[in-house]
Amino acid sequence: MLYNIIDLEVINMNTLFISTYNYLITIGLLKNNKKIAIKEIKSDKSHSIFLIPSIESILKENNLDIHNINEIIVINGPGSFTGVRLGVIVAKTLAYTLKINIKTITSIDALAISNNILKRKIVSIKDNKGVYFAIYKNNKNISQIKYLSKEEFDNNYINEINIDNGVLDIEKIALFLKDFDTLNPHNVKPIYVKEIEVLK
Amino acid sequence: MISTYQSKDIKDIIDLGVELNPKFKELFNINNLPEYENIIVYKEKNKLVGFLHYLNNIEYIEIINLIVSKEKRNNHIASFLINNLLENFNKKIILEVKESNLSAINLYKKFSFNTINIRKNYYGNESGIVMERNKDIYILGVESSCDETSISIVKNGNIDIATTVLTQIDTHVNYGGVVPEIASRMHTENFTLVLEDLFNKTALKLEDMDAIAVTYAPGLLGSLLVGLEFAKTISFVYNKPLIKVHHIAGHIYSNNLNEPMEFPLLALIVSGGHTELVLIDGDYIFNVLGSTLDDAIGEVYDKVAKVLDLPYPGGPSIEKRALEGKDTYKLPIVMNNDELNFSFSGLKSAVINLIHNEKQKGNIINKNDLATSFQKAAIDQLVRKTRLAIKKTNSKRLIIAGGVSANNFLRAEMKKLAEENNIKLSIPKMKYCTDNATMIAAAAYPLFLKKEFSNYNINAESSKRLY
């Protein structure tokens, strides 16, 4: 019967992955949660110079148009405040204007999932003054994400196994988020964790 | 009533056409129009009194006939028909009209048609005038250089179609000034909401925009970056050219929202970071005649407000107090010379010293009176230097631009100065004096015409100068 044809048709899920929380810009493309391309750009100066050009070129290299994308995954921090903001503003504006799904994941969760943590370990990200971190077991975050100065962190957690390799596995991340609900783009915002002077 | 013609209208169309042109029936095959031709008809009580016959090319519309019955002339029926065409098509329009038909030519001029060609003796002993109207240009402006998140749509560089400004002032007032990190955070949270609000105000869509304009400098770097990245994303998704605009150019071009500026003109730029007299010879052709040697006028207002313990922002606080006070404190007349530069640090120090001395004497400062005296001295310097610049350049036109142009005392003094020198003055409307995206879209228009577009690898610049 004719209507069965629709059931047979493969609907491709094209996902654009955006990470800007540190000195690297990572842009990934996935088709049905399988990685088809990834680009890492070192951007010490300003993410703004490289972010949209990187998205533009990864799409072009894979014969895709931004209008072929139907899902965005963005790392919404913590990390570099400005870096995270640029990734988030691009991601939510893409999702809002293209009317497509958007999902967020924290930088710490993304690193934990990429590293498949079964036994208790710490996952951490350093910045120039301190450390963002959380404790994981069986791939689950069993603490909150915290920020401590390098000294405080070392004093308290020196004996724990610390994952700080910064490696992102976008397939594992996409699979982890598979059953998560899509967010309203208006409500997507960065997670900062570290307090700023004026708000203390 | 305006509608598209139906087959039952054909006879009336031909009758009305023949009334004006005996050969109408033979010239135009109304009975069997090709699909790229169409007719809009105007009816009164079901009687056809006018029609507009046009040809719809891919690139442009050609008006073939625009006819109104003789007894219904001067009832704006032709205008209604043209307006209907403009509402349905944003394309270039061309037409041809007899040189003797002055009322038609004037009507077309009113609708921004320009003569582009004259066909000599096209009608035997009479020439045909070929006129053209360019498509309307819609520019989306984006502004986030400080603590206002704003997006706007401006038509043809001078018509504000819709604007949304979300100010963060209520947040920053708690900290006695704009906190850059908080400003950046709020821009990130609010831009898509501001975009949604803007497009709730108009039937236009993002697809209808011809370009995306954004403030790239100067301002708070983190705030500029959020707006720039937002604008780049929209430009990328909708495949529209990106235009980078300098914030001060925005303030200058906010005067185009009154009426298009004519050059050359003298401009007084007054804001938190700028105090300059600039001779503007044409679009983006600036010659700086004088600028502040120390503090900018807006800066000195903020600093004086602080020492008087008045709430942030300082400009409106001092202005409000000055309305209640009298000019009783003696402050120095600064820069009383033949230069066009400004200086405000001496005035600022005088106010600080005066407060200090009065306190030592055990006197209570009358804040209203000191605000009055300070404002009078500060604005007086702006007026003196502007008067001098008018004389030196023999200018016939003066514009004021920048945040401080919202100061009512300055506005009144500049009006007096313009009258005294018999020159034309333009001051932006109040709502365009504070930061807004309307002025950014307006300032982008001449750049759009010159095709000065930007790539996606541009960066924000916190302290780049315009001139």
Side-chain angles (χ1 to χ4, degrees), chain B residues 277-337:
Chain B
L277 279 160
V278 182
L279 192 65
I280 307 181
D281 281 327
D283 283 315
Y284 286 85
I285 305 171
F286 306 110
N287 301 295
V288 181
L289 305 174
S291 53
T292 182
L293 304 172
D294 37 62
D295 289 354
I297 177 80
E299 206 177 345
V300 80
Y301 260 84
D302 280 340
K303 285 176 180 169
V304 167
K306 212 159 204 174
V307 297
L308 284 175
D309 217 10
L310 299 177
Y312 173 86
S317 282
I318 288 183
E319 193 184 349
K320 205 171 139 197
R321 290 300 191 117
L323 283 175
E324 312 283 316
K326 288 192 284 292
D327 176 20
T328 56
Y329 289 99
K330 194 165 166 51
L331 292 168
I333 297 171
V334 189
M335 298 297 281
N336 197 7
N337 55 26

Side-chain angles (χ1 to χ4, degrees), chain A residues 110-132:
Chain A
L111 293 172
I113 285 146
S114 301
N115 282 283
N116 191 28
I117 295 170
L118 299 173
K119 284 182 188 162
R120 179 187 162 103
K121 281 175 192 166
I122 283 187
V123 176
S124 69
I125 297 167
K126 285 191 191 73
D127 72 6
N128 51 7
K129 283 188 187 137
V131 183
Y132 296 99

Side-chain angles (χ1 to χ4, degrees), chain B residues 112-129:
Chain B
S112 307
F113 282 83
N114 294 311
T115 301
I116 54 161
N117 195 10
I118 295 170
R119 291 178 181 155
K120 276 267 177 246
N121 300 329
Y122 188 73
Y123 296 97
N125 51 6
E126 222 192 300
S127 300
I129 311 280

Side-chain angles (χ1 to χ4, degrees), chain B residues 82 107 159 183 231 317 351 372 390 454:
Chain B
I82 296 172
L107 178 71
I159 299 161
S317 282
V351 171
T372 309
I390 293 168
S454 290

